[in-house]
Amino acid sequence: MDILKDRILSEGQALGGNVLKVDSFLNHKVDPKLMYDMGTYFSEYFKDHGITKIFTIESSGIAPTVMTAMQMGLQMVTLKKQASKILNGDVYQTTVHSFTKNMDYELTLSKKYIDKDDKILIIDDFLANGEAALGAARVVEMAGATVAGIGIVIEKSFQPGREMLNEKGYDVYSLARVSKLGKDLIEFITE
Amino acid sequence: MDILKDRILSEGQALGGNVLKVDSFLNHKVDPKLMYDMGTYFSEYFKDHGITKIFTIESSGIAPTVMTAMQMGLQMVTLKKQASKILNGDVYQTTVHSFTKNMDYELTLSKKYIDKDDKILIIDDFLANGEAALGAARVVEMAGATVAGIGIVIEKSFQPGREMLNEKGYDVYSLARVSKLGKDLIEFITE
C-alpha cells in the first residue's frame, strides 16, 4: 500500500532497532481517510475468504478495523485486554505477553460473539513478535471457529511474528512490510 | 437518534441502577454501520462549530469518532490512558478517576498534536459522572486550546456528568439520553 509506505517514510520515527513510532497517523493522532483506505485494501484482499466477522485487539487496531468491517458489511469484535482472569464460563481468555510494555494481559472474548461456524479475519496495527495475533487466533480456535485470515497494518518482517504465523498456516496480509529499521533508515520488502 | 435508542432498548442490559451494558453493538461487538450513522449525527450537529480536530479517549470512543472525523474531513486524536505519569515535557497529562473500574489513570496527549488555535470536539461513548470528559477538556485547556463541543453516544442523565459539563458552559450533544435504568427498564429523555 504505497500511500501507507509514503506516510511511514515521511512521518515514522525509528527508535532503536525495533521500534517504529507512527503516532502521527495511526497510534495517537489518527488519519480517518487513511484508515478508510486501509479498509479498502483489506476488504479487497480478503473478499473471497468467506469471512463472517472481523476481530481486532484494543486499541490501535480499532480504527482501521471498523473501516474494513464497514466496507465488507460485517460486524467487528474488539478483543479486550484485561489485567486479570475472569473466573466465570462466559468468556474465552488467553494470556498474551506484550514485549513493548513488558507485561502480560488476558485477551478476552465474550462467548456470545463467536460460534464454531465463524470464519474470523483478525486485524491488528503491528506485527512484531506475533504475540497478540497468536493470542487472538487462540481465542478464535478455543471457540472451535476458524481463523480465515490475518490483516496487519505494519509488519516488522525482521522480527519473528510473520514466520510464526506462516508456520501455523495462516493467510497473512500486511499493508506495509518493514525489512529494516535503523537511525534515519526505514526499508520495506518490495513485492 | 432513534435507531440508537431502538438498539439500546432491544439489546441493552440494565445491571443494577447505574450500569447499562451495550456490549452487542458498541463496547465489545461493534456495528460499523451504526458507528457511521453516529458520525453523521455528530457531524451534522457540530458542522458550524468551527471544529479543527476531534479527540476521543481509548478505547470504546474510537469507532464512532473515526467515523465522525472522516465525515467532517478532520483528524482525530486518541487520548491515551497511561497507568503512570510521564515525567518529561512532551505531553499534557491529567489524572482521571474511573468509577466503573475504581481506579485512576493519566489521560495523556502529546503536545505535538494540539495548538492554542485548535477548536476541539471531544467524543466519548458514555457520559456518567463526567470524569473522562472533564479530563479530556482539561488537557485541551492546558494547551490553551478551546473545547468547541462534547459529543456523547449514551448519556446517563440521572448521573451528575451532564450537569457538570453544562455548568462549565460546554455545548454537549448526546445521541441518546437515558433518564432511568432499572430491572427490565430503560427510559429516555424525549426532546
Side-chain angles (χ1 to χ4, degrees):
Chain A
M1 184 178 173
D2 287 340
I3 52 166
L4 173 60
K5 292 183 196 171
D6 291 345
R7 291 292 288 271
I8 294 170
L9 287 175
S10 60
E11 300 176 35
Q13 291 175 272
L15 305 178
N18 276 345
V19 177
L20 174 62
K21 213 173 160 191
V22 287
D23 265 11
S24 64
F25 60 84
L26 180 60
N27 294 123
H28 189 19
K29 184 154 156 272
V30 177
D31 180 341
K33 177 64 171 69
L34 184 66
M35 300 300 117
Y36 184 90
D37 292 341
M38 289 174 183
T40 306
Y41 275 76
F42 284 132
S43 57
E44 179 64 24
Y45 183 87
F46 289 109
K47 67 177 189 281
D48 297 322
H49 285 56
I51 311 288
T52 59
K53 279 189 196 117
I54 310 184
F55 282 13
T56 191
I57 299 159
E58 61 181 351
S59 68
S60 292
I62 295 174
T65 305
V66 73
M67 292 298 186
T68 308
M70 180 173 68
Q71 292 176 67
M72 295 183 82
L74 296 171
Q75 301 289 295
M76 77 176 242
V77 176
T78 304
L79 302 178
K80 300 286 180 180
K81 293 175 178 172
Q82 307 275 356
S84 56
K85 283 207 165 66
I86 295 175
L87 298 170
N88 66 38
D90 300 336
V91 300
Y92 298 109
Q93 271 192 330
T94 187
T95 305
V96 171
H97 181 70
S98 165
F99 284 93
T100 321
K101 297 189 175 171
N102 191 28
M103 56 173 284
D104 289 348
Y105 58 87
E106 300 296 323
L107 202 62
T108 305
L109 167 67
S110 171
K111 289 186 178 175
K112 280 186 292 195
Y113 302 129
I114 191 165
D115 70 54
K116 63 177 177 40
D117 299 324
D118 272 324
K119 290 175 188 294
I120 306 293
L121 169 59
I122 296 164
I123 293 180
D124 205 5
D125 58 338
F126 270 96
L127 175 61
N129 292 291
E131 292 291 317
L134 286 165
R138 284 198 300 278
V139 299
V140 169
E141 290 163 359
M142 277 179 199
T146 306
V147 177
I150 297 178
I152 298 292
V153 176
I154 302 175
E155 172 187 318
K156 292 185 288 181
S157 311
F158 53 89
Q159 287 181 279
R162 174 62 181 249
E163 201 173 336
M164 290 164 78
L165 297 179
N166 284 348
E167 274 169 20
K168 296 258 183 186
Y170 299 128
D171 186 348
V172 181
Y173 173 61
S174 302
L175 302 182
R177 303 185 70 190
V178 177
S179 56
K180 210 169 180 183
L181 279 182
K183 190 171 152 39
D184 301 323
L185 173 86
I186 302 173
E187 284 180 6
F188 297 101
I189 293 179
T190 47
E191 286 164 296
Chain B
M1 184 176 172
D2 288 341
I3 53 167
L4 173 60
K5 292 182 194 170
D6 290 346
R7 291 292 286 273
I8 294 171
L9 286 174
S10 62
E11 300 176 35
Q13 289 175 275
L15 305 176
N18 276 345
V19 177
L20 174 61
K21 214 174 159 190
V22 287
D23 264 12
S24 65
F25 61 84
L26 179 60
N27 294 123
H28 188 20
K29 185 154 155 270
V30 177
D31 181 340
K33 177 66 172 71
L34 184 64
M35 300 300 117
Y36 183 88
D37 292 342
M38 290 173 182
T40 306
Y41 275 76
F42 284 133
S43 57
E44 178 65 23
Y45 183 86
F46 288 109
K47 67 175 188 282
D48 298 322
H49 285 56
I51 310 290
T52 59
K53 280 191 195 115
I54 309 184
F55 281 15
T56 191
I57 298 159
E58 62 180 350
S59 69
S60 292
I62 296 174
T65 305
V66 71
M67 292 297 187
T68 308
M70 179 174 65
Q71 292 175 68
M72 295 183 82
L74 296 172
Q75 301 289 296
M76 77 176 240
V77 176
T78 303
L79 302 178
K80 300 286 179 180
K81 292 174 177 172
Q82 306 275 356
S84 55
K85 283 208 164 67
I86 295 175
L87 298 170
N88 66 38
D90 300 337
V91 299
Y92 297 110
Q93 272 193 327
T94 188
T95 306
V96 171
H97 181 70
S98 166
F99 284 93
T100 320
K101 298 190 175 169
N102 191 28
M103 57 172 285
D104 290 347
Y105 58 86
E106 302 296 322
L107 201 62
T108 304
L109 167 66
S110 171
K111 290 185 178 176
K112 279 185 292 194
Y113 303 130
I114 190 165
D115 70 53
K116 65 178 177 39
D117 299 324
D118 272 325
K119 291 174 185 296
I120 306 292
L121 169 59
I122 296 164
I123 292 181
D124 205 7
D125 58 338
F126 270 96
L127 175 62
N129 293 289
E131 292 292 318
L134 286 166
R138 282 198 301 278
V139 298
V140 169
E141 290 164 357
M142 276 179 201
T146 305
V147 177
I150 298 179
I152 299 292
V153 176
I154 302 176
E155 172 188 318
K156 293 186 287 181
S157 311
F158 53 89
Q159 287 181 279
R162 174 60 181 249
E163 200 172 336
M164 290 164 78
L165 297 179
N166 284 347
E167 273 167 21
K168 295 259 184 187
Y170 299 129
D171 187 348
V172 182
Y173 173 62
S174 303
L175 301 181
R177 303 184 68 191
V178 177
S179 56
K180 212 170 179 180
L181 280 181
K183 191 170 149 42
D184 299 325
L185 174 84
I186 302 172
E187 283 180 7
F188 296 101
I189 294 178
T190 47
E191 288 166 292

Short mmCIF file of all heavy atoms in Angstrom, two decimals, chain A residues 13-59:
data_model
loop_
_atom_site.label_atom_id
_atom_site.label_comp_id
_atom_site.label_asym_id
_atom_site.label_seq_id
_atom_site.Cartn_x
_atom_site.Cartn_y
_atom_site.Cartn_z
N GLN A 13 9.12 7.32 12.92
CA GLN A 13 10.39 7.52 13.60
C GLN A 13 10.91 6.16 14.04
O GLN A 13 10.24 5.45 14.79
CB GLN A 13 10.21 8.36 14.87
CG GLN A 13 9.86 9.80 14.64
CD GLN A 13 9.60 10.46 15.99
OE1 GLN A 13 8.48 10.43 16.49
NE2 GLN A 13 10.63 11.04 16.59
N ALA A 14 12.10 5.81 13.56
CA ALA A 14 12.73 4.58 14.00
C ALA A 14 13.46 4.87 15.30
O ALA A 14 14.34 5.72 15.37
CB ALA A 14 13.72 4.09 12.93
N LEU A 15 13.02 4.18 16.37
CA LEU A 15 13.65 4.36 17.68
C LEU A 15 14.36 3.06 18.03
O LEU A 15 13.73 2.02 18.15
CB LEU A 15 12.59 4.65 18.75
CG LEU A 15 11.64 5.84 18.50
CD1 LEU A 15 10.63 5.95 19.62
CD2 LEU A 15 12.44 7.13 18.38
N GLY A 16 15.67 3.13 18.18
CA GLY A 16 16.43 1.90 18.37
C GLY A 16 16.28 1.05 17.12
O GLY A 16 15.90 1.54 16.05
N GLY A 17 16.54 -0.21 17.24
CA GLY A 17 16.48 -1.07 16.06
C GLY A 17 15.14 -1.73 15.85
O GLY A 17 14.89 -2.32 14.81
N ASN A 18 14.23 -1.65 16.85
CA ASN A 18 13.00 -2.42 16.78
C ASN A 18 11.72 -1.60 16.76
O ASN A 18 10.69 -2.09 16.32
CB ASN A 18 12.91 -3.37 17.99
CG ASN A 18 13.67 -4.67 17.75
OD1 ASN A 18 14.03 -4.97 16.62
ND2 ASN A 18 13.91 -5.40 18.81
N VAL A 19 11.78 -0.39 17.30
CA VAL A 19 10.55 0.38 17.49
C VAL A 19 10.35 1.37 16.35
O VAL A 19 11.25 2.14 16.02
CB VAL A 19 10.57 1.12 18.85
CG1 VAL A 19 9.31 1.97 19.01
CG2 VAL A 19 10.70 0.12 20.00
N LEU A 20 9.17 1.30 15.75
CA LEU A 20 8.78 2.26 14.72
C LEU A 20 7.58 3.04 15.25
O LEU A 20 6.51 2.47 15.50
CB LEU A 20 8.40 1.52 13.43
CG LEU A 20 7.84 2.37 12.30
CD1 LEU A 20 8.86 3.41 11.83
CD2 LEU A 20 7.39 1.49 11.13
N LYS A 21 7.78 4.34 15.45
CA LYS A 21 6.73 5.16 16.03
C LYS A 21 5.94 5.82 14.90
O LYS A 21 6.50 6.53 14.07
CB LYS A 21 7.38 6.23 16.92
CG LYS A 21 6.53 6.61 18.12
CD LYS A 21 7.28 7.53 19.07
CE LYS A 21 6.26 8.24 19.95
NZ LYS A 21 6.83 9.33 20.72
N VAL A 22 4.66 5.56 14.86
CA VAL A 22 3.80 6.18 13.85
C VAL A 22 2.61 6.86 14.55
O VAL A 22 1.46 6.70 14.17
CB VAL A 22 3.32 5.17 12.78
CG1 VAL A 22 4.45 4.80 11.85
CG2 VAL A 22 2.72 3.93 13.42
N ASP A 23 2.96 7.65 15.56
CA ASP A 23 1.98 8.37 16.37
C ASP A 23 1.21 9.43 15.61
O ASP A 23 0.18 9.88 16.07
CB ASP A 23 2.71 9.10 17.51
CG ASP A 23 2.71 8.27 18.77
OD1 ASP A 23 2.34 7.09 18.70
OD2 ASP A 23 3.06 8.83 19.82
N SER A 24 1.72 9.85 14.45
CA SER A 24 1.11 11.00 13.78
C SER A 24 -0.02 10.61 12.84
O SER A 24 -0.72 11.48 12.32
CB SER A 24 2.17 11.78 13.01
OG SER A 24 2.70 10.98 11.98
N PHE A 25 -0.21 9.29 12.59
CA PHE A 25 -1.35 8.94 11.74
C PHE A 25 -2.05 7.65 12.16
O PHE A 25 -3.14 7.36 11.68
CB PHE A 25 -0.96 8.87 10.26
CG PHE A 25 0.11 7.86 9.93
CD1 PHE A 25 -0.21 6.52 9.71
CD2 PHE A 25 1.43 8.25 9.82
CE1 PHE A 25 0.77 5.60 9.39
CE2 PHE A 25 2.43 7.33 9.51
CZ PHE A 25 2.09 6.00 9.30
N LEU A 26 -1.46 6.86 13.08
CA LEU A 26 -2.06 5.57 13.43
C LEU A 26 -2.28 5.34 14.92
O LEU A 26 -3.35 4.89 15.33
CB LEU A 26 -1.20 4.43 12.84
CG LEU A 26 -1.66 2.99 13.10
CD1 LEU A 26 -3.05 2.74 12.54
CD2 LEU A 26 -0.68 1.98 12.49
N ASN A 27 -1.29 5.67 15.75
CA ASN A 27 -1.37 5.25 17.15
C ASN A 27 -1.76 6.34 18.15
O ASN A 27 -2.01 6.02 19.31
CB ASN A 27 -0.03 4.64 17.60
CG ASN A 27 0.27 3.34 16.87
OD1 ASN A 27 1.31 3.22 16.24
ND2 ASN A 27 -0.64 2.39 16.94
N HIS A 28 -1.81 7.58 17.72
CA HIS A 28 -2.21 8.64 18.68
C HIS A 28 -3.07 9.65 17.90
O HIS A 28 -4.28 9.69 18.06
CB HIS A 28 -0.97 9.25 19.32
CG HIS A 28 -1.24 10.20 20.45
ND1 HIS A 28 -2.41 10.22 21.14
CD2 HIS A 28 -0.46 11.17 21.04
CE1 HIS A 28 -2.35 11.16 22.09
NE2 HIS A 28 -1.18 11.75 22.04
N LYS A 29 -2.43 10.43 17.02
CA LYS A 29 -3.22 11.13 16.02
C LYS A 29 -3.56 10.09 14.95
O LYS A 29 -2.75 9.23 14.61
CB LYS A 29 -2.40 12.29 15.43
CG LYS A 29 -3.14 13.17 14.44
CD LYS A 29 -2.51 14.56 14.41
CE LYS A 29 -2.76 15.32 13.13
NZ LYS A 29 -1.73 15.04 12.10
N VAL A 30 -4.80 10.17 14.44
CA VAL A 30 -5.27 9.15 13.50
C VAL A 30 -5.86 9.85 12.28
O VAL A 30 -6.67 10.78 12.42
CB VAL A 30 -6.35 8.27 14.17
CG1 VAL A 30 -6.91 7.25 13.18
CG2 VAL A 30 -5.80 7.57 15.41
N ASP A 31 -5.45 9.41 11.10
CA ASP A 31 -5.96 9.98 9.86
C ASP A 31 -7.12 9.10 9.35
O ASP A 31 -6.89 8.00 8.83
CB ASP A 31 -4.81 10.01 8.83
CG ASP A 31 -5.25 10.60 7.50
OD1 ASP A 31 -6.47 10.66 7.23
OD2 ASP A 31 -4.37 11.00 6.73
N PRO A 32 -8.35 9.57 9.47
CA PRO A 32 -9.51 8.74 9.13
C PRO A 32 -9.56 8.31 7.67
O PRO A 32 -9.95 7.19 7.36
CB PRO A 32 -10.71 9.65 9.45
CG PRO A 32 -10.19 10.72 10.32
CD PRO A 32 -8.76 10.91 9.96
N LYS A 33 -9.12 9.20 6.77
CA LYS A 33 -9.14 8.85 5.35
C LYS A 33 -8.15 7.71 5.08
O LYS A 33 -8.47 6.78 4.32
CB LYS A 33 -8.78 10.10 4.53
CG LYS A 33 -8.69 9.88 3.03
CD LYS A 33 -10.05 9.47 2.43
CE LYS A 33 -10.02 9.47 0.91
NZ LYS A 33 -9.19 8.39 0.32
N LEU A 34 -7.00 7.77 5.71
CA LEU A 34 -6.02 6.68 5.56
C LEU A 34 -6.58 5.38 6.14
O LEU A 34 -6.38 4.30 5.57
CB LEU A 34 -4.71 7.08 6.24
CG LEU A 34 -3.55 6.09 6.10
CD1 LEU A 34 -3.07 5.98 4.65
CD2 LEU A 34 -2.37 6.50 6.99
N MET A 35 -7.29 5.48 7.28
CA MET A 35 -7.90 4.28 7.88
C MET A 35 -8.92 3.68 6.90
O MET A 35 -9.01 2.47 6.74
CB MET A 35 -8.62 4.62 9.20
CG MET A 35 -7.75 5.21 10.29
SD MET A 35 -6.39 4.13 10.81
CE MET A 35 -4.98 5.16 10.33
N TYR A 36 -9.71 4.56 6.26
CA TYR A 36 -10.69 4.09 5.28
C TYR A 36 -9.98 3.36 4.13
O TYR A 36 -10.41 2.28 3.70
CB TYR A 36 -11.51 5.27 4.75
CG TYR A 36 -12.60 4.82 3.80
CD1 TYR A 36 -13.86 4.48 4.27
CD2 TYR A 36 -12.34 4.69 2.43
CE1 TYR A 36 -14.85 4.03 3.40
CE2 TYR A 36 -13.31 4.24 1.56
CZ TYR A 36 -14.56 3.92 2.05
OH TYR A 36 -15.53 3.47 1.19
N ASP A 37 -8.89 3.95 3.65
CA ASP A 37 -8.16 3.34 2.54
C ASP A 37 -7.56 1.99 2.95
O ASP A 37 -7.52 1.05 2.14
CB ASP A 37 -7.06 4.29 2.05
CG ASP A 37 -7.64 5.52 1.37
OD1 ASP A 37 -8.83 5.50 0.97
OD2 ASP A 37 -6.92 6.53 1.25
N MET A 38 -7.09 1.89 4.19
CA MET A 38 -6.62 0.58 4.69
C MET A 38 -7.75 -0.44 4.61
O MET A 38 -7.55 -1.59 4.20
CB MET A 38 -6.15 0.71 6.15
CG MET A 38 -4.87 1.49 6.33
SD MET A 38 -4.54 1.72 8.12
CE MET A 38 -3.05 2.72 8.04
N GLY A 39 -8.93 0.01 5.00
CA GLY A 39 -10.11 -0.87 4.95
C GLY A 39 -10.39 -1.35 3.53
O GLY A 39 -10.78 -2.51 3.32
N THR A 40 -10.17 -0.48 2.57
CA THR A 40 -10.38 -0.85 1.17
C THR A 40 -9.39 -1.94 0.74
O THR A 40 -9.76 -2.93 0.10
CB THR A 40 -10.23 0.39 0.26
OG1 THR A 40 -11.11 1.41 0.73
CG2 THR A 40 -10.55 0.06 -1.19
N TYR A 41 -8.13 -1.78 1.14
CA TYR A 41 -7.12 -2.79 0.82
C TYR A 41 -7.44 -4.13 1.48
O TYR A 41 -7.36 -5.18 0.84
CB TYR A 41 -5.72 -2.31 1.24
CG TYR A 41 -5.04 -1.45 0.20
CD1 TYR A 41 -5.43 -0.12 0.01
CD2 TYR A 41 -4.02 -1.95 -0.59
CE1 TYR A 41 -4.81 0.68 -0.93
CE2 TYR A 41 -3.38 -1.16 -1.53
CZ TYR A 41 -3.79 0.16 -1.71
OH TYR A 41 -3.17 0.93 -2.65
N PHE A 42 -7.75 -4.09 2.78
CA PHE A 42 -8.06 -5.35 3.48
C PHE A 42 -9.30 -6.03 2.86
O PHE A 42 -9.31 -7.24 2.66
CB PHE A 42 -8.31 -5.09 4.97
CG PHE A 42 -7.08 -4.85 5.79
CD1 PHE A 42 -7.00 -3.78 6.69
CD2 PHE A 42 -5.98 -5.71 5.70
CE1 PHE A 42 -5.87 -3.56 7.47
CE2 PHE A 42 -4.83 -5.49 6.48
CZ PHE A 42 -4.78 -4.41 7.36
N SER A 43 -10.32 -5.24 2.59
CA SER A 43 -11.55 -5.87 2.09
C SER A 43 -11.34 -6.43 0.68
O SER A 43 -11.88 -7.49 0.34
CB SER A 43 -12.74 -4.92 2.16
OG SER A 43 -12.49 -3.74 1.45
N GLU A 44 -10.52 -5.75 -0.10
CA GLU A 44 -10.21 -6.27 -1.43
C GLU A 44 -9.45 -7.60 -1.32
O GLU A 44 -9.82 -8.59 -1.98
CB GLU A 44 -9.36 -5.21 -2.18
CG GLU A 44 -8.92 -5.60 -3.58
CD GLU A 44 -10.09 -5.79 -4.55
OE1 GLU A 44 -11.18 -5.21 -4.31
OE2 GLU A 44 -9.89 -6.52 -5.52
N TYR A 45 -8.45 -7.65 -0.46
CA TYR A 45 -7.65 -8.88 -0.35
C TYR A 45 -8.46 -10.05 0.20
O TYR A 45 -8.33 -11.19 -0.27
CB TYR A 45 -6.42 -8.64 0.55
CG TYR A 45 -5.52 -9.85 0.64
CD1 TYR A 45 -4.52 -10.07 -0.30
CD2 TYR A 45 -5.70 -10.81 1.65
CE1 TYR A 45 -3.71 -11.19 -0.24
CE2 TYR A 45 -4.90 -11.94 1.72
CZ TYR A 45 -3.91 -12.13 0.77
OH TYR A 45 -3.13 -13.25 0.83
N PHE A 46 -9.31 -9.78 1.21
CA PHE A 46 -9.99 -10.87 1.90
C PHE A 46 -11.42 -11.12 1.40
O PHE A 46 -12.15 -11.90 2.00
CB PHE A 46 -10.00 -10.60 3.41
CG PHE A 46 -8.65 -10.74 4.07
CD1 PHE A 46 -7.96 -9.62 4.53
CD2 PHE A 46 -8.06 -11.99 4.21
CE1 PHE A 46 -6.70 -9.75 5.13
CE2 PHE A 46 -6.81 -12.13 4.82
CZ PHE A 46 -6.13 -11.00 5.27
N LYS A 47 -11.80 -10.48 0.30
CA LYS A 47 -13.21 -10.53 -0.09
C LYS A 47 -13.71 -11.94 -0.43
O LYS A 47 -14.89 -12.22 -0.25
CB LYS A 47 -13.50 -9.55 -1.23
CG LYS A 47 -12.84 -9.87 -2.56
CD LYS A 47 -13.30 -8.83 -3.61
CE LYS A 47 -12.88 -9.21 -5.02
NZ LYS A 47 -11.48 -8.91 -5.32
N ASP A 48 -12.84 -12.82 -0.89
CA ASP A 48 -13.29 -14.17 -1.24
C ASP A 48 -12.91 -15.23 -0.20
O ASP A 48 -12.85 -16.43 -0.49
CB ASP A 48 -12.70 -14.57 -2.61
CG ASP A 48 -13.22 -13.64 -3.70
OD1 ASP A 48 -14.40 -13.25 -3.64
OD2 ASP A 48 -12.41 -13.29 -4.59
N HIS A 49 -12.63 -14.80 1.02
CA HIS A 49 -12.23 -15.73 2.08
C HIS A 49 -13.41 -16.22 2.92
O HIS A 49 -13.20 -16.93 3.91
CB HIS A 49 -11.19 -15.08 3.01
CG HIS A 49 -9.81 -14.97 2.43
ND1 HIS A 49 -9.54 -14.34 1.23
CD2 HIS A 49 -8.61 -15.42 2.89
CE1 HIS A 49 -8.24 -14.40 0.99
NE2 HIS A 49 -7.66 -15.04 1.97
N GLY A 50 -14.62 -15.81 2.57
CA GLY A 50 -15.79 -16.26 3.33
C GLY A 50 -15.84 -15.75 4.76
O GLY A 50 -16.44 -16.39 5.64
N ILE A 51 -15.22 -14.61 5.00
CA ILE A 51 -15.16 -14.02 6.35
C ILE A 51 -16.58 -13.76 6.87
O ILE A 51 -17.43 -13.23 6.15
CB ILE A 51 -14.41 -12.67 6.32
CG1 ILE A 51 -13.06 -12.78 5.59
CG2 ILE A 51 -14.25 -12.10 7.74
CD1 ILE A 51 -11.99 -13.53 6.29
N THR A 52 -16.83 -14.09 8.15
CA THR A 52 -18.13 -13.81 8.77
C THR A 52 -18.07 -12.71 9.82
O THR A 52 -19.08 -12.07 10.11
CB THR A 52 -18.70 -15.08 9.43
OG1 THR A 52 -17.78 -15.54 10.44
CG2 THR A 52 -18.91 -16.19 8.40
N LYS A 53 -16.89 -12.51 10.43
CA LYS A 53 -16.71 -11.45 11.44
C LYS A 53 -15.26 -11.01 11.45
O LYS A 53 -14.37 -11.79 11.09
CB LYS A 53 -17.02 -11.97 12.85
CG LYS A 53 -18.48 -12.03 13.22
CD LYS A 53 -18.68 -12.34 14.69
CE LYS A 53 -20.11 -12.78 14.93
NZ LYS A 53 -20.20 -14.16 15.42
N ILE A 54 -15.04 -9.79 11.91
CA ILE A 54 -13.67 -9.28 11.99
C ILE A 54 -13.34 -8.98 13.45
O ILE A 54 -14.10 -8.32 14.13
CB ILE A 54 -13.50 -8.02 11.13
CG1 ILE A 54 -14.03 -8.28 9.70
CG2 ILE A 54 -12.04 -7.60 11.10
CD1 ILE A 54 -13.82 -7.13 8.75
N PHE A 55 -12.21 -9.47 13.89
CA PHE A 55 -11.76 -9.25 15.27
C PHE A 55 -10.56 -8.31 15.26
O PHE A 55 -9.71 -8.37 14.37
CB PHE A 55 -11.30 -10.56 15.91
CG PHE A 55 -12.41 -11.45 16.38
CD1 PHE A 55 -13.73 -11.23 16.00
CD2 PHE A 55 -12.14 -12.53 17.22
CE1 PHE A 55 -14.75 -12.07 16.44
CE2 PHE A 55 -13.16 -13.37 17.66
CZ PHE A 55 -14.46 -13.14 17.27
N THR A 56 -10.49 -7.47 16.28
CA THR A 56 -9.27 -6.70 16.49
C THR A 56 -8.97 -6.69 17.98
O THR A 56 -9.73 -7.23 18.79
CB THR A 56 -9.35 -5.29 15.91
OG1 THR A 56 -8.03 -4.70 15.94
CG2 THR A 56 -10.30 -4.40 16.69
N ILE A 57 -7.85 -6.07 18.33
CA ILE A 57 -7.39 -6.01 19.72
C ILE A 57 -7.34 -4.54 20.09
O ILE A 57 -6.80 -3.74 19.34
CB ILE A 57 -6.00 -6.67 19.83
CG1 ILE A 57 -6.09 -8.14 19.41
CG2 ILE A 57 -5.43 -6.52 21.24
CD1 ILE A 57 -4.77 -8.75 19.00
N GLU A 58 -7.92 -4.20 21.26
CA GLU A 58 -7.88 -2.79 21.62
C GLU A 58 -6.44 -2.35 21.84
O GLU A 58 -5.63 -3.14 22.28
CB GLU A 58 -8.76 -2.51 22.85
CG GLU A 58 -8.35 -3.25 24.10
CD GLU A 58 -9.30 -2.93 25.28
OE1 GLU A 58 -10.14 -2.03 25.17
OE2 GLU A 58 -9.18 -3.61 26.30
N SER A 59 -6.04 -1.05 21.52
CA SER A 59 -6.97 -0.13 20.95
C SER A 59 -6.56 0.40 19.58
O SER A 59 -7.42 0.86 18.85
CB SER A 59 -7.15 1.05 21.93
OG SER A 59 -6.01 1.83 22.04
#
